[in-house]
Amino acid sequence: MDPNIRTVERGRIVAVDMAAHMSPVELFKQADLVVKSVMIGLTLASIWTWAIIIGHTLKLRRVNRENERFEKDFWTVEDIDRFHHKRGGEELPAAKVFSAGIVEWRRSTGGKSVDKDGTRQRLMTAMHAAAGAEVDKLADRLNILATIGSVAPFVGLFGTVWGIMRSFTDIAGANNTSLAVVAPGIAEALFATAIGLFAAIPAVIAYNRMTHGINRIEARLLRFADSFHGTLSRELEVDG
């Protein structure tokens, strides 16, 4: 057989063997304990990230839909007290803001004399406080996405640096700088960085999108509170 053909065939066999050893599973198996720990931690962080993304996406959609329905129903009622008795106890941000306004209204107008300016101020404070509390509930766990998005790349980079250090140690021990000696260790190291980016990128995107969605919900709650505040303010003028 022609020596050139033998060389080509031998190169193909080496390439296939290296490709088999470069698969994600093999890279994980070949990594040392430190790099494996980094890979496992980043994989768990990625799973946690996607669980939060899916859960909060569904939650925000549901809250938006139910808030819109609640406000639409509210502005069509004639008896606010009856509506409060029927719908005020719902576990919904708009319902919480509405209930806070009604409760403060009853407290402030239940006496013989009514301080109109004080009542208006207390109504606004109560409803805005309720809106803020509901927004805080919606934003729960989003800080986890921010943390993963900012920390995961550096954790992956740590795994990369550690893996490259190990590769150089192997090179020094084998006294051989061929690709077959260098490539596996460097591939393991870069794989750790890839997992870190895989965890971080969705976390950052989801955090920004969900923060924007929560800001929109907050703005809508505050508009609802202001509109309801205007309705109750007019009631004060009528009663006066």
Side-chain angles (χ1 to χ4, degrees), residues 32 34-35 38-39 42 152-170 185-194:
D32 68 354
V34 174
V35 179
V38 169
M39 291 179 179
L42 291 173
F154 294 101
V155 176
L157 182 60
F158 168 75
T160 296
V161 172
W162 185 274
I164 290 176
M165 289 171 57
R166 178 170 171 261
S167 296
F168 283 132
T169 302
D170 292 341
I186 295 179
E188 295 163 17
L190 295 176
F191 187 49
T193 297

Side-chain angles (χ1 to χ4, degrees), residues 34-68:
V34 174
V35 179
K36 280 183 179 178
S37 299
V38 169
M39 291 179 179
I40 292 173
L42 291 173
T43 302
L44 293 176
S46 179
I47 295 172
W48 196 5
T49 294
W50 281 105
I52 294 174
I53 290 173
I54 294 172
H56 269 65
T57 298
L58 296 176
K59 183 178 181 180
L60 292 180
R61 288 180 181 177
R62 177 182 59 80
V63 167
N64 268 318
R65 184 172 60 253
E66 293 182 358
N67 269 348
E68 183 178 359

Side-chain angles (χ1 to χ4, degrees), residues 9-10 25 59 66 88 92 98 109-112 135 169-170 178 208 234-235:
E9 291 296 328
R10 190 179 300 111
V25 176
K59 183 178 181 180
E66 293 182 358
L92 192 65
F98 167 68
T109 60
K112 294 181 180 179
V135 169
T169 302
D170 292 341
S178 68
N208 291 332
R234 285 191 293 272
E235 286 294 325

Side-chain angles (χ1 to χ4, degrees), residues 138-227:
L138 291 175
D140 184 35
R141 294 188 179 182
L142 288 190
N143 61 321
I144 297 175
L145 293 181
T147 301
I148 292 175
S150 60
V151 173
F154 294 101
V155 176
L157 182 60
F158 168 75
T160 296
V161 172
W162 185 274
I164 290 176
M165 289 171 57
R166 178 170 171 261
S167 296
F168 283 132
T169 302
D170 292 341
I171 292 171
N175 196 23
N176 187 347
T177 59
S178 68
L179 184 62
V181 174
V182 177
I186 295 179
E188 295 163 17
L190 295 176
F191 187 49
T193 297
I195 297 177
L197 294 176
F198 182 75
I201 292 173
V204 172
I205 295 174
Y207 176 80
N208 291 332
R209 292 300 303 164
M210 289 182 183
T211 299
H212 175 68
I214 290 174
N215 288 340
R216 292 183 61 186
I217 292 175
E218 182 180 18
R220 182 164 189 163
L221 287 175
L222 294 178
R223 286 196 300 269
F224 174 69
D226 291 342
S227 298

